[in-house]
Amino acid sequence: MNTPPKLSKQSSKLMVTLNKDRSELDVDDLGELDITTILGSDFDDDSISFADQETIKEALIKGYDLRQYSKDVHNELTQCDRLTINDYFSERENFLTLYNQIQVIDGVLETLEQMLNNYYNDLKNIGSEMNSLQERSLSMNHKLNNRKQLKEKLAKFVEDVSIAQEFSNYLTKAEINEDYVKCLMSLDTKITLFDDYKALSPAICANNEPQLSKLTVASIQKIQKFLDVMLMSSFKKLQDKRMKQSQLSGLGYLFQFLFKYSSYTANQVINSYVENGEKYFTSLYKSYINSLLKMVDETSGPVTNKSKIKSLFGNSNSGSGNSKSNNNGQHHLKMNDFLSNELLEAPFIEPPPSTSLLEAGAQLANNIANTNTSAAAAVKYPFDQLYRSILFFLMDLVTFETGFVKDFFLGGEDVTATIFGKSIAILIETTENYLSNSPDFMNVLVILGMLQKYKGIMNARGINLLNAPFDKLIGMVFARFNKTFVKEIEHIRGVNVKELKSHLNPLVPHPMVKRYADLVSSLVYVNEHIPKESSNQGLSRYIAELKTSLEKLISTVMMNEIESKDQQLVFLLNNYGLVVQTLLDSCTVVTSIDDQNARPFNQLFNSVIGKYINSQILNLKYLTQFSTFANEWGPLVESNVKIDLKENPSFNIQNVTDILKSFEQNWKSAVAVIKDDSIKNFKQCPIAATKTFDKALIELHYCYRLLCIIINKHFPTLKSNANYKGNRTILEMKEMNPSLEFDLIQDD
């Protein structure tokens, strides 16, 4: 008989349920038996462990008697209880020992707890003491800082109100330099704080006040005497004066001290400086101008070989009809160079050593006045060069003096305006004297541009003192320019044709045109380098008048003396080309041939080029029909105008075939002929030779492109013709001048 498996003790409810009629259960059909299936839904799965469920399931399957099984389990549990009691009883001594040990450990832990509590209480006491010490430390530190600050203030107070003998001796006896200025600043501080300290310690301040006042007066007198020596001395050389001024620039506090504590003395110093400076610079500038005017080259015609710098413009009498001058051909180049910043800001011309510009005063004036004429320098300059140096020398004086007055006296341009008032008057007088006797308006023009650019340079330096004088001079110069220009225009209009015939050569630009090409380029150049003011607008008007007069002179007066129309065109191109070339030579970054003032001359030139090339093509019989046909029908076809072939019998495939063949056989030779004629006709005017050749290629390309468009749209069968090359011909044209832009043909 099999021993039933051990089963844990279950509740009575379980046993009651198991006592049901076993006949209701088919043991063989139990399958996956679940204890809840057997016992019903009254039992929860969580109340019976999984192991117990498996044991019960196994017992049911094997057919055990559960009541007997329950008794057996109860007996086993009773036996286990007895055995357990016996085990406890046998180990009673060990339990007693363990109990005693636990009692001992409990006592030790209690003692340790007391120790830790005591230690914790001690730590709390230590923290309180530390907080107390920290508070005391902060309080002591605060008191220490207060005492330090009080000590520093007291020390500063004592230092400010007391005047050491060493400090006093230094201010009254030491040399004035940067260290002296620092000491003077300390004195300024003492004086400034003295009134505030009177309220704190009247007794101490009362004792020191007389000494401080005496020291202040002594310092003022010492500074005044020092400045009299440094500023009011009669300097023999400008370089010495500037050296003294440079030394004083770093000691500007001296004058500030004077102005703060003795405005009367400060006004005396600056008034004396202004008076002395006015006399000094007036004498210096007048002497400089007189010495330079003795170096003027008054000879007419070419400048002597001894001149360092040749004249900008020849001394030609504008109104006399004599336009011959060895230097006229270079006017535009010299105008361009002369008004460049590099030359305008070049060092001013110094007189010969016997009349050095570095010498000033009455002694210099007397020396110059008594200089023997034979001892004068051999070097001569044109007036425009000397006038540039006269302007630049004054600008240099004004710039340096303005900087010094600003740095040392903290003064404005009103001070320097007083100093240089008479010098400016001398400049205006000198300019008036020259303008009243100036025969050539080209020199007047260059002075006009010079004044405008110098005005801009001074403004860039932040100095406006010379603005009003320069504006006055510009007005004077422009008025003189107006008179001389009117004479030039009258000279052009009243020219005697008989006098011009001797120079009428179609292959060579006329000498008069050469001169006025220079005038035009100079006007355009100066017009672009001066501000857009009234004078500038006047120059634009003069340029337009000159263009009209020149056009009338060349196209009406001169050209009528040439019978051949082809030679007339050659003559026009040589002369207009000279004007355009002259303008190009004077071009800079800001001036171009497309400028509004230069553009009309370029348009005249291009117009004549077009007429010349059309004449050349018409003279080549094998291109006449090609050009006429392309210009007549090409624009219509390109615009998609419908053409009735019956009403236009000349518009047929045979005619186009003949034109295409003739063009292909002859166009290269035609270009060669035109090029050779251009080289021959325009030896004196390279720009005309270049432009006519380019224009010939452009015109041939234009006509050939129109012819190809006609073929593409109306005679496409000709595209297979051996003479039709399309874009290949255009590329061959481009190879003759790669710089030209030619549109290619878009084949349908």
Side-chain angles (χ1 to χ4, degrees), residues 297 299-304 309-316 323-335 382 440 442 514-515 518:
D297 183 6
T299 60
S300 60
V303 183
T304 60
I309 304 177
K310 293 184 178 181
S311 175
L312 295 179
F313 302 102
N315 293 328
S316 60
S323 62
K324 184 177 180 180
S325 175
N326 292 344
N327 292 326
N328 283 344
Q330 297 299 325
H331 288 171
H332 58 279
L333 292 176
K334 292 183 179 179
M335 173 70 76
D440 196 336
M442 291 298 292
K514 289 183 180 180
R515 172 168 174 76
D518 294 334

Side-chain angles (χ1 to χ4, degrees), residues 5-8 50-60 69:
K6 293 181 179 181
L7 183 65
S8 60
F50 180 76
D52 291 340
Q53 292 182 29
E54 291 297 323
T55 303
I56 295 171
K57 179 179 179 181
E58 181 181 357
L60 293 175
Y69 179 73

